[in-house]
Amino acid sequence: MNLKPHKLLKYVFFSLTIVIAVVVYYSVYKINEDDTIHSKIKQEVQQDDYVDFGKAVNGDWDNIILVPPYTDKTEIKNSYGISVNRISDFSIAYREDRVLFIFCKGKSIQNYIYWFGSVSLSETEKMYNPLQIKREDSKFKLDKSSSNIEPINLILVKE
């Protein structure tokens, strides 16, 4: 391949432009887990036996989708009409030690965290399928039956 120096420079410039555009798009499009939410919830848990995500988690969201271990992206899309491709870490599909909390405004993902522990629907009922709850219903009680400090298991409070 015999390229003239100015043509080679054009190819290099074009290639770099494409790479930069892809990197910028990826960083804007993907959402990373928000550590400040996790820290705030941990503080709430240390101070009380209950944590109200609606009050503790700031931001413009109106519902949470709770995603248990081994849930596939297509199940979330089919059940709730939400594409989780913007979540940079979707390891919930093959991890069993955490629950994914997706904070949404309508069908738009605003933020997410991984909760190391389990979420139960009641004292006796484990959560096996994804569940969408409203912001005002996002109150959880600490599961005192587990003696571990980590992970912290939560039970959904139904009022």
Side-chain angles (χ1 to χ4, degrees), residues 25-131:
Y25 174 76
Y26 183 81
S27 66
V28 170
Y29 179 73
K30 290 290 187 175
I31 300 173
N32 292 318
E33 183 175 8
D34 190 341
D35 292 333
T36 58
I37 293 174
H38 208 270
S39 299
K40 178 75 174 166
I41 298 300
K42 287 236 177 184
Q43 278 181 330
E44 294 286 324
V45 164
Q46 290 172 350
Q47 295 172 1
D48 198 355
D49 289 346
Y50 291 87
V51 60
D52 187 341
F53 279 72
K55 293 178 182 172
V57 179
N58 297 326
D60 189 22
W61 61 276
D62 58 14
N63 68 86
I64 302 175
I65 298 176
L66 304 173
V67 183
Y70 305 118
T71 301
D72 189 65
K73 289 180 179 184
T74 56
E75 186 174 347
I76 303 299
K77 178 74 173 169
N78 293 341
S79 298
Y80 303 105
I82 295 174
S83 175
V84 292
N85 291 333
R86 291 189 63 204
I87 294 177
S88 61
D89 173 13
F90 200 79
S91 58
I92 196 72
Y94 56 85
R95 300 275 311 250
E96 67 179 33
D97 59 343
R98 54 179 92 178
V99 175
L100 175 61
F101 283 66
I102 305 173
F103 299 91
C104 299
K105 174 76 173 180
K107 293 188 177 192
S108 173
I109 298 173
Q110 303 299 307
N111 227 321
Y112 76 94
I113 61 167
Y114 277 104
W115 186 258
F116 290 90
S118 67
V119 174
S120 298
L121 301 177
S122 70
E123 300 280 346
T124 58
E125 184 182 4
K126 294 279 186 198
M127 184 179 72
Y128 296 107
N129 296 308
L131 176 68

